[in-house]
Amino acid sequence: MMTYLVNVGQQGTRGNYVWYIEGTREKILVDAGGTVESYLRVMGTQPKEIQTLDSGLSRLGLSFGDIDLIILTHLHFDHVAQASRFPNARFLIQKSELEFAENPHPSVAWVYCKEFFSGLNFEVINGDTKICEEVSVISTPGHSPGGQSVSIKTAQGIAIISGLCTIRDNFEPPSPITLPVITPGIHTNVIDAYDSVLRIKQMANIVIPLHDPEYRQKTSIP
Ligand SMILES: [Zn+2]
């Protein structure tokens, strides 16, 4: 599901994460996470190695009410299922993603669950946008019509959280593939999706694929 026409039929492991950006004035998360129930219902898969959002936040000394801003990469269920738990957050979303999600095409409607995002305190933007000195979002459509990725200045260069559902193979294709990137397996536009993954790869010193399993054991990047 992650790599278009590659790794077909192979079993894979994927992670589903909420990211916290350290060092900004406002307290910012990227995405609001899935739930076990939503994975079972939408994908028919049983998540393992569950770290709750509650325990992740408390390890950082944070509560749900402390979060000021949540940048939503897109509105698929696994990135927004717990959004309503944040009472004080604004939710940054691309205009084209919100419009599509409110009336999704039948071919991909199964990944959009309106009960997870209707009524949120949205801050709607259109295209590349600077959020603060350290953080910007860039438009990366293709996996979904209005997907956005998050660019963060770090001590080791620009880190970009891919807003397209991807693993490391999308950015570093295994041999014998000679293309620079692999298109995400789920997409609404195959060419945009390829170009967006390539854009991230070219802009970033540190690429963070949205679903790569390597982050299960990590507590910070870089
Ligand atoms: Zn996803």
Side-chain angles (χ1 to χ4, degrees):
M1 292 181 76
M2 295 285 119
T3 49
Y4 183 47
L5 302 180
V6 175
N7 302 330
V8 175
Q10 289 179 26
Q11 285 277 358
T13 302
R14 55 183 258 173
N16 178 217
Y17 308 105
V18 173
W19 317 87
Y20 175 62
I21 301 177
E22 267 184 327
T24 53
R25 187 181 59 80
E26 287 197 305
K27 296 198 168 18
I28 306 175
L29 297 182
V30 178
D31 284 342
T35 59
V36 172
E37 181 276 332
S38 66
Y39 260 90
L40 280 169
R41 175 156 56 93
V42 180
M43 309 282 288
T45 54
Q46 170 69 54
K48 297 172 186 160
E49 300 182 36
I50 299 156
Q51 182 199 29
T52 64
L53 201 43
D54 309 63
S55 73
L57 286 170
S58 76
R59 258 179 27 187
L60 294 164
L62 297 169
S63 67
F64 286 85
D66 291 334
I67 302 301
D68 302 303
L69 179 68
I70 299 182
I71 302 171
L72 294 171
T73 58
H74 59 299
L75 287 173
H76 289 175
F77 79 97
D78 53 327
H79 302 274
V80 70
Q82 300 197 57
S84 64
R85 303 183 69 193
F86 295 89
N88 302 317
R90 290 134 41 225
F91 293 87
L92 199 76
I93 191 72
Q94 290 285 329
K95 181 170 184 281
S96 50
E97 182 69 11
L98 184 57
E99 286 175 356
F100 184 86
E102 282 168 344
N103 188 22
H105 187 273
S107 63
V108 288
W110 60 281
V111 279
Y112 289 97
C113 303
K114 278 184 194 163
E115 70 270 27
F116 293 149
F117 59 82
S118 61
L120 292 180
N121 180 21
F122 281 117
E123 190 173 312
V124 180
I125 57 172
N126 202 351
D128 296 2
T129 303
K130 183 174 176 176
I131 308 304
C132 61
E133 193 46 44
E134 305 87 352
V135 182
S136 302
V137 298
I138 59 170
S139 170
T140 49
H143 172 63
S144 62
Q148 60 186 352
S149 297
V150 185
S151 171
I152 302 142
K153 286 183 192 165
T154 77
Q156 292 175 30
I158 298 293
I160 298 184
I161 300 172
S162 160
L164 306 97
C165 291
T166 44
I167 56 173
R168 184 64 61 193
D169 280 0
N170 293 94
F171 295 91
E172 296 169 23
S175 66
I177 295 159
T178 54
L179 290 170
V181 297
I182 298 173
T183 304
I186 295 175
H187 46 257
T188 53
N189 183 312
V190 70
I191 294 168
D192 285 352
Y194 176 98
D195 289 346
S196 289
V197 173
L198 189 59
R199 184 182 185 205
I200 293 165
K201 181 172 174 170
Q202 288 170 341
M203 288 177 70
N205 303 109
I206 302 165
V207 172
I208 304 169
L210 204 52
H211 285 292
D212 200 277
E214 73 187 67
Y215 303 107
R216 288 176 300 168
Q217 311 300 340
K218 288 192 180 173
T219 53
S220 71
I221 309 165

